[in-house]
Amino acid sequence: MNPLIKLILFVFIIFCLNGCESQEIRYHNKMIKILSEKSEIIDPEINIYASKKRLAWLQKQSHDTNIASKLQHEAVIANEMLNAGYTQQAIDTYNNVLNIIDSLELSPPREFTNSVLDLLAITNLRLGEEINCLDDHNKESCIIPIRGSGVHRNKSGSNKAIQIYNKLLSQNPNDFVYRWLINLAYMLQGDYPNNIPKKWMIPQLTPSDSISFPEFNEVAAERGLDHISLAGGSIAEDLDQDGDIDILASSWGIDNQIQLFINDGTGHFLNHTNKANLIGITGGLNMVHGDYNNDGFADIFVLRGGWFGEEGKTPNSLLRNNGDGTFTDITIAANIYSEFPTQTASWGDYNNDGWLDLIIGNETTNGPIYPSELYHNNGDGTFTEKSQTIGLNIIGFIKAIVWGDIDNDGDQDLFVSRLGQPNSLYRNNGKSQNWSFTDIGRIAGIEEPKNSFPAWFFDYNNDGWEDIWVSGYDNSSGHVAMDYLGIPNKGETPRLYKNNKDGTFSNVTDETNMNHPLLTMGSNFGDINNDGFLDIYLGTGDPDYRSIQPNRMFINSSGETFDDVTFHGRFGHLQKGHGVSFADIDGDGDQDVHAVMGGAYEGSVFQNTLYENPGNWENNWIGISLHGLKANSLAIGARITILLENGNSIFRTVSSGGSFGANPFKQMIGIGKNNKISKINIYWPVSGKNQDYYNLETNRWHYIIESSS
């Protein structure tokens, strides 16, 4: 080729590359500007979670000059002070309301006075948390049963709360919310169970002797992961491909900075948010990851606007992992920009073309309709929205949307959790019907619970067929108290649906001991004791400060029942739990648990947690890291079958776990006390090929590449 032509071509290529790069940088910066602008235009009259702005707005509102109106207004102001994190000011304001009532010898309705007392009690409990658990945090802070250094040194908040709850319970001894909270208050000051009045005591808030289970240590602070946040997402993944697990954590406030923590190789973490080009990428009630461009590096999708209704019209973000430690927001460039309220999405290859597609479950409440979106991956860095054309006209208050293969036919089906409406199960009709979907939810028998939240596919009983777990989200701390006391209650329980292998499912919630009122938000599954059966961790609570419930851990007992080891394992954190990830953080051969903590209101912040696995299980494991060639690079949807030397089998489908929190895609699989594996079979999506492997060593990782033939 003529040298001059070569030079012209070289200059042209460099110009194009620089132009593309510059355009991507412009789009990245544009998204940062959009997010900043969205933060500035929040309407405090509509957005009940914009606590500080809402407080300022309420303080400017006029009210009737009569004393009743003034007291009502002051009580509202005090509540918003609590929400904004001005806890002592809220206490002072509530006390001022009560003092006015006493000094003027007023007789307001008992309901009003009791409401003020109720809120004053919980505000005092929150002040105790702030003083003893936030400002003076240690590894036992807020973990039930409260003991040792977890007992409050400054007991003023719990003391005041106890006084109020005793008064309220004397008027209404059957209020189980108050009964639950007074037990916690006595526990916080070290007086449970000896000094609590027996008529109020809930005796079951200690580990039972019937279960033997080791304690996990909460080590987030010493590992560099104790970031303080609101509700948000968690991703555990080897984001820089150096062989260890990194952590990405978000916080749902539109101006809350996403945080990237890079593992130094020893299970300790350094904050690389700035180095990763993430400054200004904010918000995110949830996050999901996948490799949309098949370059081997996990990309991130950030979900915003969940629960906000009309105020939730905020764009999501697709963050491309550049493979050099940095990320670029390519949402606009990828044609995936939209402004619908959402907190749930899932990556999956619905048409088996080897490129990951993205389903987003949007939230339609009483206002405008926000249909869910299915973004088809075009394989060139862009996406095309195709939900309507393939039968996924999904509308509702969607809280979970997850892929799974219910019939083992090699293509991805879809489960949809709707809050306040029946759930749906969309069967993938396959290539012969142009990759369309049919809702078989009613036929399959999976429409409950009525108020659903997180959900996932997993094979809980190791029979080779994916089952469905979906949580309920309609109960209170009172229902939890009644459950511990063995009193029937109306709290919403989760559903565990066993796959009948014929397109239908059976509700096995009762027989597997999962029939508890669990107000579940963030959650996920993993195998923390390496026995080959998948366990469940549930983050609990709702925005109300009175919604103080222990996060729960259930251990799978041979695929038959789940044992509650919350108290035994020291998992019973009382702060609101959100994004959850199971991963071997420190590389010692067992799974640890990372959880993003914190509530919805701006004052409801807390440190994120990391539960370190003690690792004394005497069980073996094998690590399988798959790389697809025809399938997507992370092998999402691939099936792993392990035939053990004792003749039993263990089954896994490659996924990131649950719908609210994300595990690594490489699979750490417990094999119990088996020392040898007879055979491992890998079923690859797209090609439909099976690969068999023999004599693979246990207690180590194996990197398996899909056959190109």
Side-chain angles (χ1 to χ4, degrees), residues 362-365 368-372 388 392-398 416 418 421-422 424 426:
N362 293 316
E363 297 179 357
T364 296
T365 50
I369 294 176
Y370 301 126
S372 297
Q388 302 299 310
L392 290 177
N393 182 28
I394 304 171
I395 296 172
F397 199 2
I398 310 303
V416 179
R418 287 183 176 89
Q421 294 178 287
S424 292
Y426 290 89

Side-chain angles (χ1 to χ4, degrees), residues 8 19 31 73 281 299 377 403 440 459 518 565 571:
I8 293 171
M31 182 63 79
H73 184 69
I281 303 299
D299 312 297
N377 193 328
W403 298 105
I440 62 168
D459 184 1
L518 302 168
V565 297
F571 296 105

Side-chain angles (χ1 to χ4, degrees), residues 1-13:
M1 183 180 292
N2 186 293
L4 180 61
I5 295 176
K6 285 184 177 180
L7 178 61
I8 293 171
L9 286 173
F10 176 76
V11 171
F12 178 75
I13 292 170

Side-chain angles (χ1 to χ4, degrees), residues 87-211:
T87 313
Q88 185 60 59
Q89 293 97 313
I91 291 172
D92 295 341
T93 305
Y94 282 130
N95 281 326
N96 185 54
V97 170
L98 295 173
N99 290 335
I100 292 173
I101 292 173
D102 289 341
S103 66
L104 298 179
E105 297 182 350
L106 302 175
S107 299
R110 176 180 286 186
E111 291 79 9
F112 175 76
T113 304
N114 284 352
S115 175
V116 173
L117 288 170
D118 177 11
L119 291 166
L120 179 59
I122 197 64
T123 306
N124 273 282
L125 277 182
R126 177 60 184 174
L127 183 64
E129 290 177 349
E130 292 174 353
I131 295 172
N132 296 278
C133 302
L134 269 167
D135 298 340
D136 192 17
H137 185 74
N138 63 77
K139 65 182 182 180
E140 292 203 292
S141 294
C142 278
I143 296 177
I144 188 174
I146 305 295
R147 70 182 192 189
S149 58
V151 175
H152 287 188
R153 284 169 285 283
N154 185 326
K155 298 178 171 58
S156 58
S158 54
N159 273 327
K160 185 61 179 178
I162 286 170
Q163 295 172 29
I164 298 172
Y165 287 132
N166 271 310
K167 182 176 181 178
L168 291 171
L169 282 165
S170 68
Q171 298 176 22
N172 187 359
N174 293 319
D175 190 309
F176 287 95
V177 173
Y178 297 154
R179 191 164 171 184
W180 172 260
L181 293 172
I182 198 173
N183 275 264
L184 294 185
Y186 273 103
M187 191 177 287
L188 290 170
Q189 60 178 20
D191 287 336
Y192 176 97
N194 296 330
N195 295 327
I196 183 173
K198 294 196 181 307
K199 59 184 176 180
W200 307 138
M201 190 175 74
I202 303 173
Q204 291 83 0
L205 303 182
T206 55
S208 68
D209 295 332
S210 61
I211 297 175

